[in-house]
Amino acid sequence: NNITPASTMSTSTTPEIKDIIILYGSDLSKDIASQISTKLSTAAAASSSKSFNIQMVSMSKSKVFKAALGLVGQAQTDEEKEETPTKSRLAIFIAQTIENESPPEDSGACIRFLNRKTHPNNLLKGLYFTVLGLGDSNLLLDRQHTGAKDCNQVAQKLDKRLDGDSGGLGAIRFYGRGECDERTGLEDGVEPWVEGLVQKLLNA
């Protein structure tokens, strides 16, 4: 269970986030998404200066996740992207990896859509993102010498695909990718990752 070191660094200018979309694609990731939503709401309520508009979105519903990501009815030219940026919006992807380094069926529609090679590299320009990976090294042959980094391929690939700095879809990393391993206890990875995310949002 870990947060990727290189991506824990703050963006050059940390934005104040108002709208938060939490995307999930399985029963497990939905449970984690609910926990994150609750912690964010509680933290905002305890703060005198923060409020978040939080939306939980299933990756299985194509029209819904596209609308949440600001992709419905938006032209994709650089000029029009500059005129209508997706400012102060954070997408939190809860990405689970199951057998054969694959996503669960319910998240497949979203993952496949984002992986389309025909997308322009500014598709998600202006969108801030972070990824939390859920894996299980019990599914691997070599359990003794493997951990979270070896069973979160879906999260790793999605993280790179979204990141504009890595030649992806133009989104901006807000917080480092988390990687959790069910074999050693998901909560050991989820809780510190969420706490760090909450603190960054409160300090933005």
Side-chain angles (χ1 to χ4, degrees):
N1 298 318
N2 61 287
I3 300 174
T4 49
S7 57
T8 57
M9 296 173 64
S10 300
T11 51
S12 55
T13 302
T14 302
E16 182 175 1
I17 300 295
K18 291 291 187 183
D19 298 319
I20 298 174
I21 307 108
I22 308 175
L23 297 103
Y24 61 88
S26 64
D27 289 340
L28 175 60
S29 60
K30 185 177 182 179
D31 289 343
I32 301 297
S34 296
Q35 292 177 33
I36 293 173
S37 178
T38 298
K39 289 189 177 184
L40 287 171
S41 297
T42 301
S47 169
S48 59
S49 60
K50 295 290 181 181
S51 63
F52 303 123
N53 301 315
I54 302 171
Q55 179 184 7
M56 286 180 49
V57 174
S58 171
M59 293 188 200
S60 66
K61 302 182 184 300
S62 180
K63 290 183 179 179
V64 179
F65 73 68
K66 289 178 185 177
L69 295 174
L71 298 177
V72 175
Q74 286 194 7
Q76 302 302 323
T77 66
D78 282 331
E79 292 79 8
E80 287 162 327
K81 279 286 185 176
E82 290 291 347
E83 292 173 6
T84 56
T86 315
K87 288 183 178 177
S88 71
R89 179 182 293 171
L90 171 66
I92 303 171
F93 290 86
I94 313 299
Q96 186 178 359
T97 300
I98 55 174
E99 293 90 347
N100 302 316
E101 302 182 5
S102 301
E105 183 177 351
D106 282 350
S107 62
C110 183
I111 300 297
R112 286 191 297 272
F113 170 77
L114 293 172
N115 281 335
R116 285 183 190 170
K117 295 182 179 180
T118 54
H119 287 320
N121 60 9
N122 67 339
L123 183 76
L124 298 177
K125 185 174 181 178
L127 177 74
Y128 290 89
F129 80 94
T130 188
V131 177
L132 175 61
L134 308 177
D136 186 356
S137 59
N138 280 313
L139 302 175
L140 305 176
L141 292 176
D142 183 7
R143 299 183 185 89
Q144 290 186 333
H145 301 95
T146 54
K149 65 181 176 60
D150 304 299
C151 59
N152 276 285
Q153 290 85 357
V154 173
Q156 292 161 2
K157 292 174 183 176
L158 176 61
D159 185 82
K160 183 176 181 180
R161 179 63 173 152
L162 295 170
D163 187 12
D165 288 341
S166 298
L169 296 176
I172 306 161
R173 186 186 310 283
F174 180 81
Y175 184 65
R177 182 180 71 247
E179 296 177 351
C180 307
D181 182 359
E182 190 166 0
R183 180 172 67 88
T184 56
L186 285 178
E187 290 305 314
D188 290 344
V190 171
E191 289 187 4
W193 185 87
V194 174
E195 288 302 321
L197 174 61
V198 169
Q199 288 304 310
K200 181 158 187 181
L201 283 164
L202 292 178
N203 293 330

